[in-house]
Amino acid sequence: MNQPQLLSISRNHKWSNLPTSSGVYWWYFPPTALEQLRISEFCNVEKLKLRTALDGRICLYHGLAKNLAQRVEWHAAQKLTFSCLESGFLSTFRLTLLALNEIDYSGGDVEINNYFDDLSLSWKSTNTREEAELIERSELHGEYHYPLNIQGNKRPELLNYINLLKVIRKNYKRRNIYL
């Protein structure tokens, strides 16, 4: 795994500095995100083990990809169209951050992109998607907690927060589809 780097670097390189291989990736947030994203309100953060970068940022989300560059771009730069929101094709990570930050969907492209640009990203390339899936499963059931991962995240310490995320995302979607 490489050291996390600001996402804005990858955006400035038009994603060309990211590998096109399969792999896993980790998103790092400033520690203030624990309060800003309401994690500390619904979880005892003292009991959470969060992957921490050298600069003190904490990993709150991780995933796997068939193509790392494409997946990161999808999360961090997907155009906010109503058809994506309505069909469910919008990145779930992007939707979660839009909803938690209460960003207006109809004009929020710049705001959500700027939010992503302040995050850091690290990754590990793999030879196959299957290898990436093994790493992801190991991460979700391993020593670290990933509060923004909803699917497959059965950690009891995160249950209340994950339930909140589901409600917030559903309400956000409903509010923005039926304007």
Side-chain angles (χ1 to χ4, degrees), residues 6-156:
L6 282 174
L7 185 79
S8 58
I9 294 169
S10 295
R11 189 182 305 278
N12 290 339
H13 283 92
K14 296 183 176 20
W15 318 108
S16 66
N17 65 326
L18 299 172
T20 57
S21 64
S22 58
V24 290
Y25 51 90
W26 294 265
W27 289 91
Y28 291 82
F29 292 70
T32 55
L34 290 171
E35 188 173 320
Q36 179 209 3
L37 301 178
R38 301 179 65 189
I39 296 166
S40 60
E41 183 181 337
F42 287 85
C43 301
N44 181 349
V45 293
E46 307 281 320
K47 293 189 177 186
L48 299 182
K49 180 151 187 188
L50 302 171
R51 187 181 289 279
T52 306
L54 294 176
D55 66 0
R57 288 174 178 252
I58 51 175
C59 183
L60 300 179
Y61 183 82
H62 85 95
L64 70 97
K66 185 169 60 173
N67 179 315
L68 284 162
Q70 285 179 353
R71 179 56 62 100
V72 169
E73 182 179 4
W74 183 56
H75 283 317
Q78 184 182 20
K79 185 93 174 109
L80 300 182
T81 65
F82 286 103
S83 63
C84 282
L85 184 63
E86 198 170 32
S87 69
F89 187 67
L90 182 65
S91 153
T92 57
F93 182 44
R94 194 167 178 83
L95 174 60
T96 298
L97 293 177
L98 283 160
L100 283 169
N101 289 293
E102 298 178 353
I103 295 173
D104 175 45
Y105 192 82
S106 63
D109 275 311
V110 171
E111 190 175 351
I112 191 64
N113 288 349
N114 287 340
Y115 185 87
F116 267 94
D117 283 352
D118 286 336
L119 303 179
S120 295
L121 176 77
S122 69
W123 63 87
K124 177 181 171 68
S125 295
T126 60
N127 293 320
T128 64
R129 180 175 168 88
E130 291 74 24
E131 186 182 345
E133 288 171 350
L134 286 172
I135 294 170
E136 184 194 39
R137 262 195 305 279
S138 173
E139 285 289 315
L140 267 182
H141 303 293
E143 65 180 305
Y144 295 108
H145 293 87
Y146 297 98
L148 296 179
N149 281 80
I150 296 173
Q151 187 176 358
N153 196 345
K154 306 285 188 216
R155 302 298 289 266

